[in-house]
């Protein structure tokens, strides 16, 4: 954990695009990032399909890396919301990674699938189809 923390701090210090450590007190881009918080359920509903798989991983081990990453990401997003520092909303894209990876790992397990995993697989397929249709609605009209 110490090595991981040291690498993370080193990467943040060497980040070439902006000063990561200056974000803590910078409110110059908060107004621009406020829109990230306006419709969270409407924008990120498809990621909810991964939450049951993430929950199952959390039940197996509280120290699961995907569970910890998701909890920390959610804490950063919540801090941005409650503090009014909306620039922390930039992490929303990263917050979606753990549920999606957990779902992928759960569905990639070898067969035979139990009842729970079969339901999860059908829900994921239905969600993917619904997401596809929602994004491309009207695009295929000839």
């Amino acid at each position: 954990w110490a090595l991981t923390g040291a690498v993370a701090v080193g990467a943040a210090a060497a980040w070439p695009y902006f000063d990561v450590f200056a974000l803590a007190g910078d409110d110059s881009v908060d107004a621009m990032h406020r829109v990230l918080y306006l419709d969270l359920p409407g924008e990120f509903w498809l990621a909810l399909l991964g939450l049951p798989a993430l929950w199952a991983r959390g039940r197996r081990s509280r120290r699961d890396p995907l569970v910890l990453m998701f909890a920390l990401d959610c804490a950063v997003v919540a801090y941005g919301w409650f503090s009014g520092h909306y620039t922390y909303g930039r992490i929303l894209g990263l917050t979606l990674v753990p549920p999606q990876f957990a779902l992928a790992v759960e569905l990639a397990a070898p067969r035979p699938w139990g009842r729970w995993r079969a339901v999860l697989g059908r829900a994921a397929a239905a969600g993917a189809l619904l997401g596809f249709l929602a994004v491309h609605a009207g695009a295929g009209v000839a």
Side-chain angles (χ1 to χ4, degrees):
W1 284 108
L3 177 62
T4 301
V7 169
V9 170
W15 194 251
Y17 302 109
F18 55 87
D19 184 6
V20 173
F21 301 112
L23 286 176
D26 186 12
D27 60 356
S28 62
V29 291
D30 282 341
M32 178 174 61
H33 290 102
R34 186 174 190 278
V35 297
L36 295 171
Y37 287 92
L38 292 180
D39 188 24
L40 287 176
E43 296 291 333
F44 302 118
W45 63 270
L46 197 53
L48 296 176
L49 290 172
L51 290 181
L54 196 63
W55 178 76
R57 291 178 67 92
R59 286 198 53 192
R60 287 191 289 264
S61 171
R62 290 181 184 249
R63 293 174 37 166
D64 184 87
L66 291 176
V67 173
L68 294 175
M69 181 181 173
F70 185 69
L72 290 173
D73 290 345
C74 287
V76 170
V77 170
Y79 172 77
W81 174 261
F82 290 114
S83 70
H85 294 292
Y86 299 112
T87 190
Y88 288 100
R90 292 182 192 182
I91 201 171
L92 280 166
L94 185 60
T95 306
L96 303 178
V97 170
Q100 292 174 6
F101 282 17
L103 181 63
V105 169
E106 196 69 30
L107 296 180
R111 294 183 185 256
W113 282 4
R115 182 181 202 139
W116 181 83
R117 190 170 291 150
V119 169
L120 187 63
R122 287 185 188 100
L129 179 62
L130 184 61
F132 176 78
L133 293 175
V135 168
H136 295 290
V141 176

PDB file of all heavy atoms in Angstrom, residues 74-102:
ATOM      1  N   CYS A  74     -16.635   7.693  -5.056  1.00  0.00           N
ATOM      2  CA  CYS A  74     -17.917   8.242  -4.605  1.00  0.00           C
ATOM      3  C   CYS A  74     -17.706   9.301  -3.528  1.00  0.00           C
ATOM      4  O   CYS A  74     -18.428  10.309  -3.492  1.00  0.00           O
ATOM      5  CB  CYS A  74     -18.832   7.138  -4.093  1.00  0.00           C
ATOM      6  SG  CYS A  74     -19.507   6.115  -5.416  1.00  0.00           S
ATOM      7  N   ALA A  75     -16.722   9.086  -2.651  1.00  0.00           N
ATOM      8  CA  ALA A  75     -16.432  10.078  -1.611  1.00  0.00           C
ATOM      9  C   ALA A  75     -15.947  11.383  -2.222  1.00  0.00           C
ATOM     10  O   ALA A  75     -16.348  12.473  -1.786  1.00  0.00           O
ATOM     11  CB  ALA A  75     -15.389   9.521  -0.638  1.00  0.00           C
ATOM     12  N   VAL A  76     -15.126  11.303  -3.260  1.00  0.00           N
ATOM     13  CA  VAL A  76     -14.640  12.515  -3.926  1.00  0.00           C
ATOM     14  C   VAL A  76     -15.788  13.237  -4.620  1.00  0.00           C
ATOM     15  O   VAL A  76     -15.918  14.464  -4.531  1.00  0.00           O
ATOM     16  CB  VAL A  76     -13.513  12.172  -4.929  1.00  0.00           C
ATOM     17  CG1 VAL A  76     -13.167  13.361  -5.804  1.00  0.00           C
ATOM     18  CG2 VAL A  76     -12.285  11.680  -4.187  1.00  0.00           C
ATOM     19  N   VAL A  77     -16.644  12.502  -5.308  1.00  0.00           N
ATOM     20  CA  VAL A  77     -17.794  13.106  -5.988  1.00  0.00           C
ATOM     21  C   VAL A  77     -18.733  13.753  -4.967  1.00  0.00           C
ATOM     22  O   VAL A  77     -19.218  14.866  -5.168  1.00  0.00           O
ATOM     23  CB  VAL A  77     -18.541  12.052  -6.846  1.00  0.00           C
ATOM     24  CG1 VAL A  77     -19.859  12.595  -7.356  1.00  0.00           C
ATOM     25  CG2 VAL A  77     -17.667  11.605  -8.003  1.00  0.00           C
ATOM     26  N   ALA A  78     -18.977  13.060  -3.859  1.00  0.00           N
ATOM     27  CA  ALA A  78     -19.846  13.617  -2.814  1.00  0.00           C
ATOM     28  C   ALA A  78     -19.231  14.870  -2.204  1.00  0.00           C
ATOM     29  O   ALA A  78     -19.939  15.854  -1.942  1.00  0.00           O
ATOM     30  CB  ALA A  78     -20.096  12.569  -1.735  1.00  0.00           C
ATOM     31  N   TYR A  79     -17.924  14.856  -1.994  1.00  0.00           N
ATOM     32  CA  TYR A  79     -17.260  16.056  -1.477  1.00  0.00           C
ATOM     33  C   TYR A  79     -17.458  17.224  -2.432  1.00  0.00           C
ATOM     34  O   TYR A  79     -17.747  18.348  -2.006  1.00  0.00           O
ATOM     35  CB  TYR A  79     -15.771  15.799  -1.249  1.00  0.00           C
ATOM     36  CG  TYR A  79     -15.026  17.059  -0.909  1.00  0.00           C
ATOM     37  CD1 TYR A  79     -15.114  17.608   0.361  1.00  0.00           C
ATOM     38  CD2 TYR A  79     -14.263  17.726  -1.866  1.00  0.00           C
ATOM     39  CE1 TYR A  79     -14.458  18.782   0.677  1.00  0.00           C
ATOM     40  CE2 TYR A  79     -13.606  18.890  -1.557  1.00  0.00           C
ATOM     41  CZ  TYR A  79     -13.708  19.427  -0.286  1.00  0.00           C
ATOM     42  OH  TYR A  79     -13.059  20.595   0.015  1.00  0.00           O
ATOM     43  N   GLY A  80     -17.303  16.976  -3.717  1.00  0.00           N
ATOM     44  CA  GLY A  80     -17.508  18.037  -4.705  1.00  0.00           C
ATOM     45  C   GLY A  80     -18.921  18.591  -4.661  1.00  0.00           C
ATOM     46  O   GLY A  80     -19.130  19.797  -4.772  1.00  0.00           O
ATOM     47  N   TRP A  81     -19.890  17.710  -4.493  1.00  0.00           N
ATOM     48  CA  TRP A  81     -21.295  18.134  -4.442  1.00  0.00           C
ATOM     49  C   TRP A  81     -21.583  18.962  -3.193  1.00  0.00           C
ATOM     50  O   TRP A  81     -22.130  20.054  -3.267  1.00  0.00           O
ATOM     51  CB  TRP A  81     -22.200  16.917  -4.484  1.00  0.00           C
ATOM     52  CG  TRP A  81     -23.646  17.247  -4.303  1.00  0.00           C
ATOM     53  CD1 TRP A  81     -24.375  17.140  -3.154  1.00  0.00           C
ATOM     54  CD2 TRP A  81     -24.539  17.765  -5.288  1.00  0.00           C
ATOM     55  NE1 TRP A  81     -25.666  17.541  -3.364  1.00  0.00           N
ATOM     56  CE2 TRP A  81     -25.792  17.935  -4.671  1.00  0.00           C
ATOM     57  CE3 TRP A  81     -24.397  18.098  -6.622  1.00  0.00           C
ATOM     58  CZ2 TRP A  81     -26.893  18.423  -5.351  1.00  0.00           C
ATOM     59  CZ3 TRP A  81     -25.504  18.580  -7.300  1.00  0.00           C
ATOM     60  CH2 TRP A  81     -26.730  18.734  -6.668  1.00  0.00           C
ATOM     61  N   PHE A  82     -21.219  18.427  -2.033  1.00  0.00           N
ATOM     62  CA  PHE A  82     -21.572  19.095  -0.783  1.00  0.00           C
ATOM     63  C   PHE A  82     -20.736  20.341  -0.513  1.00  0.00           C
ATOM     64  O   PHE A  82     -21.212  21.271   0.138  1.00  0.00           O
ATOM     65  CB  PHE A  82     -21.468  18.121   0.395  1.00  0.00           C
ATOM     66  CG  PHE A  82     -22.541  17.081   0.379  1.00  0.00           C
ATOM     67  CD1 PHE A  82     -22.237  15.747   0.189  1.00  0.00           C
ATOM     68  CD2 PHE A  82     -23.871  17.430   0.532  1.00  0.00           C
ATOM     69  CE1 PHE A  82     -23.230  14.782   0.157  1.00  0.00           C
ATOM     70  CE2 PHE A  82     -24.887  16.477   0.498  1.00  0.00           C
ATOM     71  CZ  PHE A  82     -24.555  15.150   0.315  1.00  0.00           C
ATOM     72  N   SER A  83     -19.509  20.367  -1.008  1.00  0.00           N
ATOM     73  CA  SER A  83     -18.653  21.528  -0.762  1.00  0.00           C
ATOM     74  C   SER A  83     -18.863  22.634  -1.787  1.00  0.00           C
ATOM     75  O   SER A  83     -18.442  23.757  -1.568  1.00  0.00           O
ATOM     76  CB  SER A  83     -17.184  21.107  -0.779  1.00  0.00           C
ATOM     77  OG  SER A  83     -16.785  20.756  -2.095  1.00  0.00           O
ATOM     78  N   GLY A  84     -19.492  22.299  -2.913  1.00  0.00           N
ATOM     79  CA  GLY A  84     -19.663  23.286  -3.976  1.00  0.00           C
ATOM     80  C   GLY A  84     -18.447  23.406  -4.878  1.00  0.00           C
ATOM     81  O   GLY A  84     -18.418  24.245  -5.769  1.00  0.00           O
ATOM     82  N   HIS A  85     -17.442  22.563  -4.678  1.00  0.00           N
ATOM     83  CA  HIS A  85     -16.263  22.532  -5.552  1.00  0.00           C
ATOM     84  C   HIS A  85     -16.521  21.516  -6.657  1.00  0.00           C
ATOM     85  O   HIS A  85     -16.070  20.374  -6.608  1.00  0.00           O
ATOM     86  CB  HIS A  85     -15.005  22.163  -4.756  1.00  0.00           C
ATOM     87  CG  HIS A  85     -14.609  23.187  -3.763  1.00  0.00           C
ATOM     88  ND1 HIS A  85     -14.140  24.425  -4.122  1.00  0.00           N
ATOM     89  CD2 HIS A  85     -14.631  23.175  -2.411  1.00  0.00           C
ATOM     90  CE1 HIS A  85     -13.876  25.128  -3.035  1.00  0.00           C
ATOM     91  NE2 HIS A  85     -14.173  24.394  -1.978  1.00  0.00           N
ATOM     92  N   TYR A  86     -17.248  21.952  -7.654  1.00  0.00           N
ATOM     93  CA  TYR A  86     -17.735  21.036  -8.685  1.00  0.00           C
ATOM     94  C   TYR A  86     -16.645  20.517  -9.603  1.00  0.00           C
ATOM     95  O   TYR A  86     -16.892  19.614 -10.395  1.00  0.00           O
ATOM     96  CB  TYR A  86     -18.838  21.711  -9.488  1.00  0.00           C
ATOM     97  CG  TYR A  86     -20.019  22.081  -8.634  1.00  0.00           C
ATOM     98  CD1 TYR A  86     -20.326  23.418  -8.378  1.00  0.00           C
ATOM     99  CD2 TYR A  86     -20.819  21.107  -8.054  1.00  0.00           C
ATOM    100  CE1 TYR A  86     -21.406  23.759  -7.586  1.00  0.00           C
ATOM    101  CE2 TYR A  86     -21.892  21.435  -7.254  1.00  0.00           C
ATOM    102  CZ  TYR A  86     -22.171  22.761  -7.028  1.00  0.00           C
ATOM    103  OH  TYR A  86     -23.228  23.085  -6.229  1.00  0.00           O
ATOM    104  N   THR A  87     -15.455  21.057  -9.500  1.00  0.00           N
ATOM    105  CA  THR A  87     -14.372  20.557 -10.333  1.00  0.00           C
ATOM    106  C   THR A  87     -14.044  19.102 -10.011  1.00  0.00           C
ATOM    107  O   THR A  87     -13.503  18.375 -10.831  1.00  0.00           O
ATOM    108  CB  THR A  87     -13.117  21.437 -10.187  1.00  0.00           C
ATOM    109  OG1 THR A  87     -12.169  21.055 -11.183  1.00  0.00           O
ATOM    110  CG2 THR A  87     -12.480  21.293  -8.827  1.00  0.00           C
ATOM    111  N   TYR A  88     -14.424  18.643  -8.807  1.00  0.00           N
ATOM    112  CA  TYR A  88     -14.208  17.242  -8.454  1.00  0.00           C
ATOM    113  C   TYR A  88     -15.126  16.315  -9.244  1.00  0.00           C
ATOM    114  O   TYR A  88     -14.943  15.100  -9.232  1.00  0.00           O
ATOM    115  CB  TYR A  88     -14.396  17.035  -6.955  1.00  0.00           C
ATOM    116  CG  TYR A  88     -13.260  17.639  -6.157  1.00  0.00           C
ATOM    117  CD1 TYR A  88     -13.402  18.876  -5.541  1.00  0.00           C
ATOM    118  CD2 TYR A  88     -12.049  16.987  -6.044  1.00  0.00           C
ATOM    119  CE1 TYR A  88     -12.359  19.442  -4.832  1.00  0.00           C
ATOM    120  CE2 TYR A  88     -11.006  17.536  -5.337  1.00  0.00           C
ATOM    121  CZ  TYR A  88     -11.164  18.768  -4.730  1.00  0.00           C
ATOM    122  OH  TYR A  88     -10.130  19.323  -4.038  1.00  0.00           O
ATOM    123  N   GLY A  89     -16.091  16.865  -9.934  1.00  0.00           N
ATOM    124  CA  GLY A  89     -16.950  16.075 -10.798  1.00  0.00           C
ATOM    125  C   GLY A  89     -16.206  15.464 -11.971  1.00  0.00           C
ATOM    126  O   GLY A  89     -16.710  14.561 -12.635  1.00  0.00           O
ATOM    127  N   ARG A  90     -15.004  15.923 -12.214  1.00  0.00           N
ATOM    128  CA  ARG A  90     -14.196  15.338 -13.284  1.00  0.00           C
ATOM    129  C   ARG A  90     -13.971  13.852 -13.073  1.00  0.00           C
ATOM    130  O   ARG A  90     -13.710  13.111 -13.999  1.00  0.00           O
ATOM    131  CB  ARG A  90     -12.816  15.993 -13.335  1.00  0.00           C
ATOM    132  CG  ARG A  90     -12.797  17.401 -13.763  1.00  0.00           C
ATOM    133  CD  ARG A  90     -11.365  17.843 -13.798  1.00  0.00           C
ATOM    134  NE  ARG A  90     -11.221  19.276 -13.929  1.00  0.00           N
ATOM    135  CZ  ARG A  90     -10.061  19.868 -14.023  1.00  0.00           C
ATOM    136  NH1 ARG A  90      -8.952  19.163 -13.982  1.00  0.00           N
ATOM    137  NH2 ARG A  90      -9.981  21.171 -14.145  1.00  0.00           N
ATOM    138  N   ILE A  91     -14.045  13.414 -11.849  1.00  0.00           N
ATOM    139  CA  ILE A  91     -13.760  12.013 -11.524  1.00  0.00           C
ATOM    140  C   ILE A  91     -14.947  11.101 -11.821  1.00  0.00           C
ATOM    141  O   ILE A  91     -14.850   9.885 -11.695  1.00  0.00           O
ATOM    142  CB  ILE A  91     -13.310  11.897 -10.053  1.00  0.00           C
ATOM    143  CG1 ILE A  91     -12.539  10.613  -9.833  1.00  0.00           C
ATOM    144  CG2 ILE A  91     -14.499  11.993  -9.113  1.00  0.00           C
ATOM    145  CD1 ILE A  91     -11.874  10.512  -8.500  1.00  0.00           C
ATOM    146  N   LEU A  92     -16.074  11.662 -12.248  1.00  0.00           N
ATOM    147  CA  LEU A  92     -17.262  10.847 -12.501  1.00  0.00           C
ATOM    148  C   LEU A  92     -17.004   9.734 -13.517  1.00  0.00           C
ATOM    149  O   LEU A  92     -17.516   8.637 -13.368  1.00  0.00           O
ATOM    150  CB  LEU A  92     -18.425  11.721 -12.950  1.00  0.00           C
ATOM    151  CG  LEU A  92     -19.141  12.435 -11.811  1.00  0.00           C
ATOM    152  CD1 LEU A  92     -20.038  13.533 -12.350  1.00  0.00           C
ATOM    153  CD2 LEU A  92     -19.930  11.452 -10.987  1.00  0.00           C
ATOM    154  N   GLY A  93     -16.245  10.014 -14.540  1.00  0.00           N
ATOM    155  CA  GLY A  93     -15.925   8.968 -15.525  1.00  0.00           C
ATOM    156  C   GLY A  93     -15.163   7.814 -14.900  1.00  0.00           C
ATOM    157  O   GLY A  93     -15.422   6.644 -15.186  1.00  0.00           O
ATOM    158  N   LEU A  94     -14.242   8.132 -14.008  1.00  0.00           N
ATOM    159  CA  LEU A  94     -13.480   7.093 -13.319  1.00  0.00           C
ATOM    160  C   LEU A  94     -14.351   6.337 -12.322  1.00  0.00           C
ATOM    161  O   LEU A  94     -14.137   5.155 -12.071  1.00  0.00           O
ATOM    162  CB  LEU A  94     -12.288   7.727 -12.601  1.00  0.00           C
ATOM    163  CG  LEU A  94     -11.309   6.795 -11.918  1.00  0.00           C
ATOM    164  CD1 LEU A  94     -10.689   5.839 -12.932  1.00  0.00           C
ATOM    165  CD2 LEU A  94     -10.235   7.586 -11.206  1.00  0.00           C
ATOM    166  N   THR A  95     -15.356   6.997 -11.785  1.00  0.00           N
ATOM    167  CA  THR A  95     -16.263   6.357 -10.833  1.00  0.00           C
ATOM    168  C   THR A  95     -17.059   5.231 -11.491  1.00  0.00           C
ATOM    169  O   THR A  95     -17.473   4.287 -10.829  1.00  0.00           O
ATOM    170  CB  THR A  95     -17.223   7.413 -10.240  1.00  0.00           C
ATOM    171  OG1 THR A  95     -16.440   8.467  -9.695  1.00  0.00           O
ATOM    172  CG2 THR A  95     -18.084   6.842  -9.158  1.00  0.00           C
ATOM    173  N   LEU A  96     -17.248   5.303 -12.790  1.00  0.00           N
ATOM    174  CA  LEU A  96     -18.014   4.288 -13.502  1.00  0.00           C
ATOM    175  C   LEU A  96     -17.201   3.028 -13.809  1.00  0.00           C
ATOM    176  O   LEU A  96     -17.775   1.992 -14.148  1.00  0.00           O
ATOM    177  CB  LEU A  96     -18.549   4.869 -14.811  1.00  0.00           C
ATOM    178  CG  LEU A  96     -19.407   6.117 -14.679  1.00  0.00           C
ATOM    179  CD1 LEU A  96     -19.816   6.611 -16.048  1.00  0.00           C
ATOM    180  CD2 LEU A  96     -20.605   5.859 -13.812  1.00  0.00           C
ATOM    181  N   VAL A  97     -15.897   3.097 -13.675  1.00  0.00           N
ATOM    182  CA  VAL A  97     -15.044   1.959 -14.029  1.00  0.00           C
ATOM    183  C   VAL A  97     -15.252   0.753 -13.100  1.00  0.00           C
ATOM    184  O   VAL A  97     -15.438  -0.363 -13.592  1.00  0.00           O
ATOM    185  CB  VAL A  97     -13.558   2.389 -14.084  1.00  0.00           C
ATOM    186  CG1 VAL A  97     -12.628   1.199 -14.205  1.00  0.00           C
ATOM    187  CG2 VAL A  97     -13.342   3.355 -15.243  1.00  0.00           C
ATOM    188  N   PRO A  98     -15.217   0.904 -11.775  1.00  0.00           N
ATOM    189  CA  PRO A  98     -15.351  -0.290 -10.926  1.00  0.00           C
ATOM    190  C   PRO A  98     -16.641  -1.091 -11.124  1.00  0.00           C
ATOM    191  O   PRO A  98     -16.567  -2.322 -11.229  1.00  0.00           O
ATOM    192  CB  PRO A  98     -15.264   0.271  -9.497  1.00  0.00           C
ATOM    193  CG  PRO A  98     -14.488   1.527  -9.639  1.00  0.00           C
ATOM    194  CD  PRO A  98     -14.884   2.091 -10.968  1.00  0.00           C
ATOM    195  N   PRO A  99     -17.826  -0.453 -11.228  1.00  0.00           N
ATOM    196  CA  PRO A  99     -19.015  -1.284 -11.467  1.00  0.00           C
ATOM    197  C   PRO A  99     -18.972  -2.014 -12.812  1.00  0.00           C
ATOM    198  O   PRO A  99     -19.388  -3.178 -12.911  1.00  0.00           O
ATOM    199  CB  PRO A  99     -20.186  -0.305 -11.432  1.00  0.00           C
ATOM    200  CG  PRO A  99     -19.677   0.957 -10.886  1.00  0.00           C
ATOM    201  CD  PRO A  99     -18.199   0.935 -11.009  1.00  0.00           C
ATOM    202  N   GLN A 100     -18.454  -1.350 -13.831  1.00  0.00           N
ATOM    203  CA  GLN A 100     -18.387  -1.991 -15.143  1.00  0.00           C
ATOM    204  C   GLN A 100     -17.408  -3.156 -15.138  1.00  0.00           C
ATOM    205  O   GLN A 100     -17.689  -4.216 -15.691  1.00  0.00           O
ATOM    206  CB  GLN A 100     -17.979  -0.967 -16.203  1.00  0.00           C
ATOM    207  CG  GLN A 100     -19.040   0.069 -16.448  1.00  0.00           C
ATOM    208  CD  GLN A 100     -18.564   1.155 -17.406  1.00  0.00           C
ATOM    209  OE1 GLN A 100     -17.480   1.082 -17.974  1.00  0.00           O
ATOM    210  NE2 GLN A 100     -19.376   2.171 -17.573  1.00  0.00           N
ATOM    211  N   PHE A 101     -16.251  -2.977 -14.509  1.00  0.00           N
ATOM    212  CA  PHE A 101     -15.272  -4.062 -14.427  1.00  0.00           C
ATOM    213  C   PHE A 101     -15.800  -5.214 -13.580  1.00  0.00           C
ATOM    214  O   PHE A 101     -15.590  -6.383 -13.914  1.00  0.00           O
ATOM    215  CB  PHE A 101     -13.949  -3.558 -13.861  1.00  0.00           C
ATOM    216  CG  PHE A 101     -13.103  -2.810 -14.852  1.00  0.00           C
ATOM    217  CD1 PHE A 101     -13.623  -2.309 -16.027  1.00  0.00           C
ATOM    218  CD2 PHE A 101     -11.768  -2.586 -14.595  1.00  0.00           C
ATOM    219  CE1 PHE A 101     -12.840  -1.618 -16.932  1.00  0.00           C
ATOM    220  CE2 PHE A 101     -10.969  -1.901 -15.488  1.00  0.00           C
ATOM    221  CZ  PHE A 101     -11.501  -1.417 -16.656  1.00  0.00           C
ATOM    222  N   ALA A 102     -16.472  -4.884 -12.476  1.00  0.00           N
ATOM    223  CA  ALA A 102     -17.025  -5.937 -11.621  1.00  0.00           C
ATOM    224  C   ALA A 102     -18.058  -6.754 -12.385  1.00  0.00           C
ATOM    225  O   ALA A 102     -18.096  -7.989 -12.274  1.00  0.00           O
ATOM    226  CB  ALA A 102     -17.643  -5.326 -10.369  1.00  0.00           C
TER     227      ALA A 102
END
